[in-house]
Amino acid sequence: MRISDLLAIDDLCLTLLAGDPDREFSTVHITDLPEPGRYLSGGELVLTGLMWRHAPEDSDRFVAALADAGVAALGAGAAWLGHVPDDLVAACGAAGLPLLEVPTEVSFRTLTELVVPRLSGDVRDALGRHRRLVAAIAEGADLRELFELTAAELGVTGAVLSASGHVIVGTVDDPVRLAKAYLSAPRLPACVGGSTIFAVGRGHRAAGWILACDGDLIDRADLGYELAACVGLERGRMEEGRRVERRLAEQLVVAALADADVAELNARLRTCGIDAAEPYAIVNATASRPGATRGPDPATLGGQVVEELLGREVVAAAGADGAVAVVPLRGRTTAELADRLRAGAKVLAALPDIRICAGLSGALTGAAAIKGGVEEAGHARRLAESRAGGVVTSDEIYTHALLLATVPGDVRRSFAARLLSPLLDYDRGHQSDLVRTLGIFLDCAGSWNACAERLHVHVNTVRYRIRRIEELTGKNLSRMADRVDFFLALRDTSPPR
């Protein structure tokens, strides 16, 4: 019940002296103890006759105890002092606590008898909504129908979104902006423009759902929480069916990697909703916090993220080497599929300390191609990991990058340091530009003039720098083998160009 609802009851003749009339309270508590905090649980309308007040400083102590206990509002009777003192009004204003003046002719008993039945009516309304929700679920209502039913009863409009900004049900402006706000918000609910966003459930935000309600509902957060709980209930029910689908996908991948009979694989492929002649691609993904020793399993979270990035049209089975999803193309190219994954991953980058690595195979047909596709997607994902995250397609892995990705990181770093350390040390000691010159010289295929033009220096300067590089490293940049060594070393250090 809101304070404004109390003010609207003519028989009470209450006056608001401080605070927000839209604040809600859930129960009524009467006290004249000077420090009543231990008997309060939060959300109350506290009624007091002011018998605890003997000096102005008593008001600050009393109001502080109420604020610490999370009290919703204070009603002060005027019978004892004949008025509500200014120091109490000031203390409530400073604490943001709504303060009502209860006139002498209105007893606390009368106020309570009028209010409690109305609060009970609020509870009855909630129970009625719950019964209607359960009945709708029993009749097979889907998420859209349940969302619209509950939102209409609560008088709330909005939408449900994925963390990557995909609208699941409802309508909302600029879903990507809301998703980024959800990912970066220190706490929820939060106001974003003309919407209030709530988390749905308690899962990791990277794979979470967002309830975006129109308007500012911070002071009516109970409405958002109730609607979010309804959405979470239906999402949990949907998850039960998806667990079965994930097991079928896992069995398909395990059988393919074990070189099972093609007829068996085609049968398993059909149980996953893909015809044997239908083109598909394989996605391998992980999602993790770099350097973290605790937290969700990278494969499990990566699979959940991929499912949300692809609009829950597929399932991803978590395994020892990332999560694997078999994605039917259905008119799309693998390039379009990669663009969709990248767009979603770009939104999720708003979440601090999360790294998403995904690899995508080429277009495949028939169950016999699954094993090769899984291996291809796995190589691509590991290349993404070596790049500190992102989406890598099969087109990118069949280069020197694939070979580098298979070499342990400490070996690559040792190779680069051994070859480039003399140049890095020289640059630091002389404020020179040898490493950058080397990189641009190789990019220009060893062309002196093109390198000089890129660096905006005379060609003789380039020749001098290259000779200095050769002297410091013992390499000869006219030899292809030495150029390849430098090229690979620079790929691992990624110096500025």
Side-chain angles (χ1 to χ4, degrees), residues 312-449:
R312 296 172 70 82
E313 66 186 60
V314 299
V315 294
D321 187 35
V324 176
V326 182
V327 185
L329 293 177
R330 291 173 184 162
R332 295 175 297 195
T333 65
T334 54
E336 291 170 337
L337 186 60
D339 288 343
R340 183 170 179 180
L341 290 170
R342 290 190 180 106
K346 185 177 180 180
V347 177
L348 293 180
L351 182 63
D353 301 325
I354 191 73
R355 183 172 69 183
I356 297 169
C357 302
L360 178 63
S361 75
L364 309 168
T365 305
I370 292 176
K371 182 177 181 179
V374 169
E375 293 174 348
E376 195 173 82
H379 287 314
R381 193 213 76 228
R382 285 185 284 276
L383 179 54
E385 289 175 347
S386 73
R387 296 176 176 176
V391 179
V392 173
T393 67
S394 61
D395 293 337
E396 301 174 68
I397 65 173
Y398 294 112
T399 67
H400 68 277
L402 176 60
L403 297 179
L404 288 179
T406 61
V407 177
D410 56 344
V411 175
R412 296 198 313 270
R413 287 188 292 272
S414 176
F415 172 77
R418 185 177 182 87
L419 192 57
L420 299 179
S421 287
L423 306 182
L424 294 168
D425 292 342
Y426 188 89
D427 281 348
R428 281 192 293 267
H430 297 80
Q431 288 76 52
S432 57
D433 214 8
L434 296 186
V435 173
R436 180 166 178 262
T437 298
L438 174 61
I440 292 177
F441 181 74
L442 294 175
D443 282 347
C444 294
S447 168
W448 305 97
N449 292 325

Side-chain angles (χ1 to χ4, degrees), residues 199-365:
V200 175
R202 297 180 178 273
H204 196 284
R205 286 198 193 186
W209 280 11
I210 312 154
L211 170 64
C213 297
D214 296 333
D216 184 348
L217 289 189
I218 294 298
D219 290 334
R220 300 297 313 279
D222 60 306
L223 299 180
Y225 287 132
E226 186 172 343
L227 184 52
C230 166
V231 175
L233 179 67
E234 177 58 14
R235 187 184 187 187
R237 189 176 69 152
M238 294 164 62
E239 278 298 305
E240 291 300 321
R242 295 182 73 80
R243 288 191 185 97
V244 175
E245 295 175 11
R246 291 189 191 108
R247 282 198 296 272
L248 293 173
E250 180 183 6
Q251 291 167 2
L252 170 64
V253 172
V254 169
L257 294 178
D259 295 318
D261 180 75
V262 174
E264 177 190 346
L265 292 178
N266 281 330
R268 291 187 180 278
L269 191 62
R270 284 191 294 271
T271 64
C272 294
I274 302 175
D275 186 77
E278 183 178 4
Y280 62 90
I282 304 289
V283 176
N284 184 297
T286 59
S288 61
R289 292 176 55 204
T293 57
R294 302 178 61 183
D297 172 62
T300 301
L301 181 58
Q304 294 169 351
V305 167
V306 166
E307 291 179 3
E308 296 300 333
L309 292 182
L310 298 180
R312 296 172 70 82
E313 66 186 60
V314 299
V315 294
D321 187 35
V324 176
V326 182
V327 185
L329 293 177
R330 291 173 184 162
R332 295 175 297 195
T333 65
T334 54
E336 291 170 337
L337 186 60
D339 288 343
R340 183 170 179 180
L341 290 170
R342 290 190 180 106
K346 185 177 180 180
V347 177
L348 293 180
L351 182 63
D353 301 325
I354 191 73
R355 183 172 69 183
I356 297 169
C357 302
L360 178 63
S361 75
L364 309 168
T365 305

Side-chain angles (χ1 to χ4, degrees), residues 19-31:
D20 183 2
D22 287 330
R23 181 74 62 83
E24 287 190 338
F25 64 95
S26 56
T27 188
V28 178
H29 183 87
I30 302 173
T31 184

Side-chain angles (χ1 to χ4, degrees), residues 433 436-437 440 448-465:
D433 214 8
R436 180 166 178 262
T437 298
I440 292 177
W448 305 97
N449 292 325
C451 182
E453 185 176 339
R454 286 267 300 274
L455 289 169
H456 304 291
V457 298
H458 194 276
V459 67
N460 288 338
T461 301
V462 174
R463 293 180 185 276
Y464 168 78
R465 291 179 182 177

